Amino acid sequence: MIKIGDITSFISCPRLAYFRMHHEKGVANEYHAVREIFLSLRKGYDYEWAYERFSTLYPDSKETFTLAASKLRYSEELERIRPRAWEVYFESERLRLRGVVDEITENGRFLVVMLKKISDKFTFKERMRMTAISAISGIKEGYVYYAYDGVLAEFKETRKDRYNLLRILEKLRKIEKGFLPERREGKRCEICEYSDECNTKPETFASRFF
Ligand code: SF4
């Protein structure tokens, strides 16, 4: 079954999705730390508890946690949204897609945490992440909380979003079965945890037409 994270990996780089789906390394990043802090604060716990949760999954990543904690802003705007449940698991048998939603709110929306707002509108990657949540949860509207900006934004799925999601899922199913996409050299390669494997894995003729 495909995870929501596979969709965002695919949009960053299709090859990255291949490596994460078949050779997950479990490397901690700032997003993982921010999510633990956000969830802990939302539930009424503190940073210490957030670190307890984070370090259980990523024992050697204190620097990442400290950095994320120094950048995170907890906005008062969040107080107007009352939570109903956290870390809710959904899956769709039909789409063969699964994921965990950070929060379901009392007004029947979902809420997810992200790091930084990069433009006025939602980016394609953000839209696809939230559309995937809509698809598995049946909830069409939600909020994004940009933790480093302290900004809350509202999202509503469109038909075009759903269509784009289905196209990505088709490609991810091929990758799930073992198809290795073409290497796309880009800025992301400089920080990619799979750069060694990626450099040594040969491309195939078929990967050019993916
Ligand atoms: S090294 Fe570059 S092309 Fe290879 S998986 Fe990473 S981001 Fe993608």
Side-chain angles (χ1 to χ4, degrees), residues 185-198:
E185 197 72 42
K187 271 196 94 174
R188 211 209 167 278
C189 301
E190 292 165 23
I191 50 149
C192 183
E193 68 270 34
Y194 294 98
S195 58
D196 290 345
E197 294 90 330
C198 187

Side-chain angles (χ1 to χ4, degrees), residues 28-120:
N29 57 37
E30 286 178 52
Y31 166 72
H32 296 132
V34 159
R35 185 172 182 271
E36 294 303 342
I37 299 168
F38 174 81
L39 284 170
S40 298
L41 297 181
R42 270 310 258 174
K43 292 178 187 178
Y45 293 92
D46 56 12
Y47 280 73
E48 247 178 73
W49 182 252
Y51 184 64
E52 188 74 32
R53 285 179 51 128
F54 176 79
S55 60
T56 305
L57 290 175
Y58 310 104
D60 305 314
S61 307
K62 188 155 192 187
E63 268 179 41
T64 306
F65 184 89
T66 309
L67 184 64
S70 70
K71 294 188 201 170
L72 185 134
R73 292 169 60 192
Y74 193 84
S75 165
E76 280 178 12
E77 246 197 303
L78 285 167
E79 299 305 327
R80 71 178 170 87
I81 298 171
R82 297 176 67 85
R84 176 177 290 164
W86 293 283
E87 300 175 272
V88 184
Y89 176 83
F90 291 99
E91 71 172 47
S92 161
E93 273 299 324
R94 190 171 57 82
L95 298 174
R96 294 203 14 257
L97 179 64
R98 67 185 165 93
V100 175
V101 179
D102 295 335
E103 183 175 303
I104 302 296
T105 65
E106 223 171 58
N107 61 359
R109 296 185 180 185
F110 61 81
L111 193 157
V112 290
V113 65
M114 296 189 190
L115 290 188
K116 252 195 120 26
K117 194 160 172 45
I118 353 187
S119 71
D120 288 347

Side-chain angles (χ1 to χ4, degrees), residues 15 180-183 197-205 207:
R15 254 195 176 217
L180 177 66
E182 192 176 32
R183 183 180 159 86
E197 294 90 330
C198 187
N199 277 322
T200 52
K201 275 254 185 200
E203 286 173 7
T204 61
F205 180 69
S207 68

Side-chain angles (χ1 to χ4, degrees), residues 128-161:
M128 287 302 101
R129 180 172 164 198
M130 289 180 286
T131 302
I133 291 172
S134 292
I136 56 172
S137 67
I139 303 169
K140 301 259 179 274
E141 293 177 46
Y143 305 97
V144 178
Y145 183 65
Y146 294 96
Y148 286 173
D149 304 302
V151 168
L152 193 67
E154 293 188 28
F155 170 81
K156 193 170 181 180
E157 184 202 44
T158 66
R159 272 186 286 175
K160 183 80 189 292
D161 289 329

